[in-house]
Amino acid sequence: MKKVFNVSNRLPVTIGKTIRKSAGGLVTAMEGIQNDYRLQWVGWPGNVIGSSRQNDIRTHLHDDYGYIPVFLSHHQIECYYNGFSNSTLWPLFHYMPNFTRFNEEWYAHYIKVNKAFADIIIENAVQNDLIWIHDYHLMLLPGMLRDRNSNLKIGYFLHTPFPSYEVFRCHPNREALLHGLLGADLIGFHTFGYLRHFRSTLLRILGLESEIDSILSENHRTHFGVYPIGIDAQKFQKELNSRTHRKYLNKYRDIFQNRKVVLSVERLDYTKGIPRKLDAIELFLQRHEHPEDIVFIFVMVPSRGEVEEYQQLLNTVELRISQINGKYSTITNIPLHFMHQSVSFSELCALYALADVCMVTPLVDGMNLVAKEYIACQKNNFGVLILSEFAGAAQELFSAIIVNPYNIDQVSNAIEQAIEMTDDEKEQRNQPMAKRILRYNAKHWAKTFIDDLSDCSSSSESDITRSAALETIKPFIHAQKIALFLDYDGTLCEIRKKPEDAAPNRAIKALFELMVQCHSVDFYLISGRSKPDMQNWFFEYPFTLICEHGFFYRLPSDTKWQFFNSDADLSWKEQVSEIFELYCEMTPGSFIETKTASIVWHYRQADPEFGSWKANQLMVELYEMLSNLPVEIHHGKKIVEVCSTQISKGRAVEYFLQQHAYDRVLCAGDDLTDESMFRLKRPEIISLKIGSGNTLAQYKIPTPQQFREYLQKFISAKINRDKEI
């Protein structure tokens, strides 16, 4: 069993006269993998421990919990923790440079504390142990460990956003911090956006070019990954069935009966945008016809009370809440209930279950687990999640009402929308979010990261792409009998994010009407689309329809679909479905489309760079897994498709060319699925690729719009030529 040193600023304990274990998201995640790895936690115990107690505390923590403490002095805590970590890095990473303060003494102590962590790890770790370092407090630690023991596997995860280069470059120690991180074998982020900013920063500050998933620096390869942290959803669901939960829930229902409850749970921190949230609530109360029917509950956990900015924030929030309550309170209702304190887990779950709406509207947030906790508690009465687009959770919880927290009017309208939402729509929104939260829990997050860290290697591959120059094509108007084999998506129609949005628009319908008038040309629509799509969209036109890349066809004079090859082997579909499901799990926004003779993984709604990265990984795996099966693998426009080798567009074209003696044939397409047409070597065929990229086609046209214009000119000229004859 592999040993993992889990390294964080704080150990999950509270030390007083006794030692008490603390809870938290990271604790939950690590507890979930204790059966798979031997865990050793390294961190500051939270208090200043006098030298007389240190040996006893060290022994107690090691023997009872498996923890290794890093003892810090008052001055180190003030400089390293309150100073450099929370007054320099925290605001900068959250796009608030106005709160950022720099002090050289703070940085000197930051170096010393990171070195103290390195000393303890080097003292205890052996070759091939896994070191997992967490968060902005320890950015120099990976590099320090790499310099002292290159045989360790070092992982680093950033729990905050990584800001854009323009923000990060403000930091006076920016180069040292980046070099420190590059000591890791694997660096993880909550979202691909944060990874993208990191790569951009490496390029612009250190001048280091990186691949999308790794970088080679000083003969060491650092891998990158996206790992959205989850929660222990089962723990919440278990609490919902407890007697204590029912007691609190019934109590709160009695207090707030006949009123809609809007809940906010957050640390009192300037990154949470609380004053702006209060502005939006006040605007809502001004507009709402019956404000006395709504109650807003604020649970604000105290945070960094010794820092001046946080004291000022508390004063501002308390004043604004008093002003709003003074203006909108009635004898029977106080609109805003404010608690500047922590609540028990049972109370929190009861508030989550009670709330009709939960507002999670930070100005910026690495992930924000409150959003996931709220959805996990929507078991009986579905509530509505209002979620800031600047929270990392917004990259996963697509069905929430996503808002810009800087847009007060939009947030106010979102509250109204949430309150008026029907039960059916609430359920429809919550179910996919709840399913994802249950599946991608805290244990899944931790295990995925550690497994990837274990598998890290220094191998890399380079992809060299070349682009052919655009050439002009000449129409063949004087030919007597002509056939056009036209792909649809990406050729006649622009690629849409959702496949169903690609139905023929006005421009395409106008082109089709013109094609109908051209009797000397046979038109074939040859697409990867399914029969229902082809039937619904093109049935009215006298075209030969070929769907699923040549598996079915339907003649203009016939209403029935026919097989090109009814004996094609499709036994591979189940195996392919399983790996596609895996990549759907790894790639938020992707989905699977299953057809009769093919399976398609779409990533048009995923982040474009992240989706492309995962698609390339998928292609490699498919080639290895399916090398002995009768399939073809295509990487098309935002899709990866697997279909039978016994069918192809090229074979379909050949079939019809054998049936008819055409003088000239045009084959047009946009991606790899069309290359089988372009591969045909017949003197009468002209091949045309729409878009960029390597191709066997003879000519290129840049866009579907330009291709439609070309077809319009060609067909119009052909119609006029036929009239002259």
Side-chain angles (χ1 to χ4, degrees), residues 86-331:
N86 291 327
S87 296
T88 300
L89 292 176
W90 175 268
L92 199 67
F93 278 28
H94 289 82
Y95 292 85
M96 296 185 178
N98 54 309
F99 287 108
T100 301
R101 293 183 290 134
F102 301 102
N103 183 307
E104 281 302 316
E105 185 185 7
W106 292 352
Y107 181 57
H109 280 282
Y110 187 82
I111 296 173
K112 289 179 180 178
V113 172
N114 275 251
K115 184 177 181 300
F117 273 81
D119 291 341
I120 287 179
I121 294 168
I122 292 297
E123 182 182 336
N124 288 275
V126 298
Q127 184 173 341
N128 297 322
D129 279 350
L130 303 179
I131 316 296
W132 189 4
I133 303 164
H134 296 270
D135 233 354
Y136 58 98
H137 313 86
L138 301 169
M139 294 179 69
L140 299 177
L141 183 54
M144 291 178 174
L145 293 175
R146 176 67 52 198
D147 290 340
R148 294 172 65 176
N149 187 344
S150 60
N151 293 318
L152 297 174
K153 280 283 184 76
I154 304 167
Y156 178 91
F157 189 86
L158 184 65
H159 291 263
T160 69
F162 193 94
S164 71
Y165 151 74
E166 294 292 350
V167 174
F168 188 83
R169 70 173 178 167
C170 298
H171 203 291
N173 310 112
R174 57 196 187 184
E175 292 91 350
L177 293 171
L178 292 173
H179 280 301
L181 292 180
L182 290 178
D185 292 283
L186 174 64
I187 302 176
F189 304 88
H190 283 307
T191 74
F192 184 71
Y194 306 156
L195 191 162
R196 185 178 67 246
H197 288 320
F198 180 67
R199 292 181 60 227
S200 174
T201 301
L202 291 176
L203 178 63
R204 289 164 175 81
I205 291 180
L206 299 183
L208 297 176
E209 293 188 1
S210 60
E211 299 171 30
I212 198 167
D213 61 345
S214 65
I215 184 171
L216 184 63
S217 59
E218 299 179 356
N219 299 319
H220 167 69
R221 182 164 295 279
T222 299
H223 297 261
F224 310 139
V226 177
Y227 307 89
I229 192 170
I231 62 171
D232 185 355
Q234 296 290 349
K235 179 181 177 182
F236 284 88
Q237 297 208 328
K238 182 179 179 181
E239 174 62 26
L240 297 183
N241 295 320
S242 72
R243 179 180 298 178
T244 307
H245 172 76
R246 289 192 294 271
K247 181 187 75 173
Y248 280 118
L249 184 57
N250 291 333
K251 174 184 174 181
Y252 296 150
R253 280 175 176 165
D254 289 340
I255 295 172
F256 300 111
Q257 58 182 318
N258 301 322
R259 278 173 286 181
K260 296 284 188 180
V261 175
V262 182
L263 177 66
S264 291
V265 179
E266 53 217 344
R267 283 191 311 108
L268 186 65
D269 192 289
Y270 47 73
T271 65
K272 304 301 182 182
I274 300 166
R276 289 182 182 272
K277 181 185 294 189
L278 291 171
D279 290 343
I281 289 171
E282 183 173 20
L283 181 59
F284 166 80
L285 292 172
Q286 289 174 8
R287 294 171 170 177
H288 196 65
E289 189 174 352
H290 299 288
E292 68 277 5
D293 295 339
I294 314 293
V295 62
F296 293 84
I297 300 175
F298 284 82
V299 178
M300 293 188 187
V301 180
S303 175
R304 300 168 189 163
E306 69 280 0
V307 179
E308 183 181 350
E309 289 85 357
Y310 288 82
Q311 296 169 2
Q312 294 173 353
L313 176 62
L314 176 59
N315 294 335
T316 299
V317 169
E318 288 178 334
L319 178 60
R320 287 290 290 121
I321 289 176
S322 297
Q323 291 172 339
I324 296 171
N325 277 339
K327 189 174 182 179
Y328 293 99
S329 291
T330 66
I331 298 297

Side-chain angles (χ1 to χ4, degrees), residues 4 11 45 52 121 171 192 199 287 337 353 367 377 379 429 489 607 621 639 655 689:
V4 176
L11 290 175
S52 62
I121 294 168
H171 203 291
F192 184 71
R199 292 181 60 227
R287 294 171 170 177
H337 292 245
M367 174 54 68
C377 290
K379 183 178 179 182
R429 284 174 175 266
D489 293 278
D607 181 280
E621 287 199 42
I639 66 159
Y655 171 83
K689 179 180 173 65

Side-chain angles (χ1 to χ4, degrees), residues 76-89:
Q76 284 176 323
I77 294 166
E78 185 59 33
C79 294
Y80 146 79
Y81 181 70
N82 292 329
F84 194 82
S85 295
N86 291 327
S87 296
T88 300
L89 292 176

Side-chain angles (χ1 to χ4, degrees), residues 43-88:
W44 169 48
N47 288 1
V48 176
I49 308 296
S51 57
S52 62
R53 292 187 67 198
Q54 286 185 5
N55 283 336
D56 288 342
I57 294 294
R58 183 182 293 110
T59 300
H60 193 20
L61 288 173
H62 181 273
D63 293 348
D64 293 356
Y65 300 100
Y67 296 166
I68 302 175
V70 180
F71 296 115
L72 303 179
S73 68
H74 278 291
H75 193 57
Q76 284 176 323
I77 294 166
E78 185 59 33
C79 294
Y80 146 79
Y81 181 70
N82 292 329
F84 194 82
S85 295
N86 291 327
S87 296
T88 300

Side-chain angles (χ1 to χ4, degrees), residues 503-568:
N505 57 22
R506 184 179 302 176
I508 295 174
K509 288 180 178 179
L511 176 62
F512 284 174
E513 293 298 335
L514 185 65
M515 290 161 66
V516 169
Q517 300 174 39
C518 190
H519 302 294
S520 61
V521 177
D522 290 342
F523 295 97
Y524 298 80
L525 293 186
I526 182 165
S527 171
R529 288 273 175 178
S530 63
K531 284 193 295 184
D533 283 344
M534 300 285 279
Q535 186 98 356
N536 293 337
W537 293 353
F538 312 126
F539 186 80
E540 64 185 282
Y541 303 104
F543 307 149
T544 297
L545 304 181
I546 306 169
C547 69
E548 295 199 30
H549 305 302
F551 194 78
F552 298 104
Y553 69 95
R554 199 217 72 186
L555 301 174
S557 58
D558 196 356
T559 59
K560 294 182 179 180
W561 290 89
Q562 301 181 55
F563 289 99
F564 277 108
N565 184 354
S566 60
D567 298 322

